[in-house]
């Protein structure tokens, strides 16, 4: 593909060469296997299909100027998948198995890693599903762990250009004591209707409020939320949001750049006071926000049509570490040999 094509590929499924699979049966994990099929042959009564017993992850690999391919923080994704597994009673994929599967999937599809400077990257999607038949509501006895990859562009079509978010109070993504903190499919099913409405009205995502009181900001459909003011990076603390690895990384970078960090409840009205706001995640990277519209209050919060100074600095530093253009003092990247 030409560089121009990479710039416009968008975020979507694409077939690549091989995927990696590993089965869990009789209480233990088998060996990693390679498959060239895009399909699974699973039991119609599999718990993943009926009772949502599935968790997934998302991480990326980047090609550097030096031609090396680097995967970003896969140990964190491995740990989070274990956390999600605890939440819906699935066995842990051992950290080492997760990392070996990711490395193998990238290696076997290395020609699909987009070139340096294209703005695109290789998206890696690990998936863990209950495949054993159960018709009563209980956990499966058998599981399948899969890792597949595909080249992608930015999640929000605007890329690093500011985008719009919508607040609506008639939808919840996750319950306060529910599964919002796990990366499980049910949360995303619960977000489809609200997401469709937001997109139909020209917004790139929904900005959810806390489900209990509808007073505090939670997160966006596919990304965490942050605001910056008075040299302080502020991001919601909530039991029902996904602990974002991108957000954790930005917090580290921001701290080292001299920003103060606050992780706390963020009242909706505080939107008025931020100098910059953004969404962050693996797919979203850092997506600056130019406007948040609170539909129930008919109130809009405006942040300007260009990315803010801090958002730009944080974005550039994060991307430089991922690409290998900046040193990696935190040990975040793994070079695929
Ligand atoms: N929040 C939700 C609901 C997500 O789906 C994601 C994407 O993974 C994130 C936040 C960002 O998390 P991360 O930075 O680990 O990709
Ligand atoms: C990610 O950022 O990896 C996500 O999983 C977000 C979305 C595609 C669900």
């Amino acid at each position: 593909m030409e560089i121009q094509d990479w710039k416009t590929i968008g975020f979507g499924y694409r077939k690549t060469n091989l995927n990696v699979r590993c089965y869990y049966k009789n209480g233990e994990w088998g060996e990693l296997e390679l498959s060239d099929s895009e399909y699974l042959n699973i039991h119609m009564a599999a718990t993943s299909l009926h009772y949502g017993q599935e968790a997934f992850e998302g991480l990326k690999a980047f090609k550097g100027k030096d031609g090396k391919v680097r995967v970003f923080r896969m140990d964190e994704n491995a740990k989070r998948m274990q956390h999600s597994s605890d939440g819906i009673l699935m066995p842990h994929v051992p950290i080492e198995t997760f990392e070996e599967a990711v490395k193998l999937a990238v290696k076997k599809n290395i020609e699909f890693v987009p070139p340096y400077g294209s703005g695109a990257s290789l998206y890696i999607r690990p998936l863990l599903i209950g495949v054993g038949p159960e018709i009563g509501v209980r956990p499966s006895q058998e599981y399948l762990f899969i890792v597949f990859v595909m080249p992608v562009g930015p999640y929000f079509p605007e890329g690093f250009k500011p985008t719009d978010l919508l607040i609506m109070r008639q939808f919840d993504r996750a319950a306060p004591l529910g599964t919002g903190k796990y990366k499980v499919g049910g949360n995303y099913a619960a977000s489809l209707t609200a997401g469709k409405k937001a997109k139909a009205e020209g917004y790139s995502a929904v900005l959810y409020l806390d489900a209990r009181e509808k007073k505090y900001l939670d997160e966006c459909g596919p990304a965490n939320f942050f605001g910056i003011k008075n040299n302080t990076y502020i991001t919601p603390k909530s039991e029902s949001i996904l602990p974002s690895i991108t957000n954790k990384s930005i917090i580290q970078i921001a701290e080292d750049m001299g920003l103060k960090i606050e992780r706390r409840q963020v009242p909706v009205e505080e939107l008025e006071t931020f100098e910059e706001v953004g969404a962050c995640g693996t797919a979203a990277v850092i997506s600056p926000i130019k406007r948040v519209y609170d539909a129930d209050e008919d109130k809009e919060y405006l942040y300007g049509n260009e990315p803010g100074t801090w958002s730009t600095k944080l974005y550039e530093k994060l991307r430089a570490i991922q690409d290998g253009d900046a040193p990696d003092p935190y040990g975040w990247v793994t070079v695929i040999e």
Side-chain angles (χ1 to χ4, degrees), residues 56-59 72 76-77 80 123 125 155 173 180 182-183 187-188 191 208 219-225 240-250 280-285:
F56 69 101
E57 272 303 327
L59 63 162
F72 189 67
E76 288 290 328
N77 293 91
R80 191 169 64 190
Y123 186 67
R125 173 52 67 85
Y155 191 74
R173 172 186 168 275
Y182 308 124
K183 201 160 170 62
N187 298 335
Y188 298 83
S191 75
Y208 287 94
E219 66 173 334
C220 308
N224 274 184
F225 177 87
S240 53
I241 67 176
L242 191 76
S244 157
I245 296 159
T246 313
N247 202 1
K248 189 172 169 180
S249 309
I250 297 170
C280 62
T282 297
V285 194

Side-chain angles (χ1 to χ4, degrees), residues 257-275:
M257 282 180 174
L259 283 174
K260 285 196 280 276
I261 307 295
E262 291 179 14
R263 228 196 210 125
R264 58 165 167 83
Q265 287 187 313
V266 182
V268 190
E269 312 74 61
E270 196 172 341
L271 282 170
E272 195 99 69
T273 66
F274 289 124
E275 294 151 17

Side-chain angles (χ1 to χ4, degrees), residues 169 209-217 266-269:
R169 285 169 185 70
L209 303 185
D210 78 284
R212 185 179 282 124
E213 294 187 85
K214 303 280 184 190
K215 268 169 77 173
Y216 304 102
L217 302 177
V266 182
V268 190
E269 312 74 61

Side-chain angles (χ1 to χ4, degrees), residues 53-185:
Q53 214 192 7
E54 78 92 33
F56 69 101
E57 272 303 327
L59 63 162
K60 280 178 173 171
F62 305 86
K63 188 171 279 172
K65 212 186 270 178
D66 54 9
K68 289 185 180 160
V69 173
R70 293 172 175 81
V71 179
F72 189 67
R73 304 201 79 173
M74 64 176 167
D75 54 327
E76 288 290 328
N77 293 91
K79 282 190 264 172
R80 191 169 64 190
M81 183 169 257
Q82 292 192 340
H83 181 59
S84 296
S85 298
D86 290 341
I88 57 168
L89 297 187
M90 302 196 290
H92 282 179
V93 173
I95 305 286
E96 202 173 276
T97 306
F98 184 101
E99 293 188 350
E100 284 310 311
V102 166
K103 286 193 271 187
L104 186 59
V106 174
K107 253 189 236 172
K108 294 290 175 188
N109 297 288
I110 203 88
E111 68 269 38
F112 290 95
V113 185
Y116 172 79
S118 63
S121 54
L122 191 77
Y123 186 67
I124 305 162
R125 173 52 67 85
L127 174 71
L128 175 61
I129 59 175
V131 292
E134 297 291 344
I135 211 64
V137 180
R138 55 183 162 258
S140 172
Q141 300 295 311
E142 293 177 11
Y143 294 85
L144 171 57
F145 173 58
I146 311 163
V147 180
F148 60 98
V149 303
M150 75 217 75
V152 296
Y155 191 74
F156 297 137
E158 291 84 355
F160 190 62
K161 297 215 188 67
T163 178
D164 294 0
L165 297 181
L166 176 63
I167 295 177
M168 296 178 277
R169 285 169 185 70
Q170 75 266 42
F171 298 101
D172 291 328
R173 172 186 168 275
L177 300 176
T179 57
K181 57 184 175 296
Y182 308 124
K183 201 160 170 62
V184 297

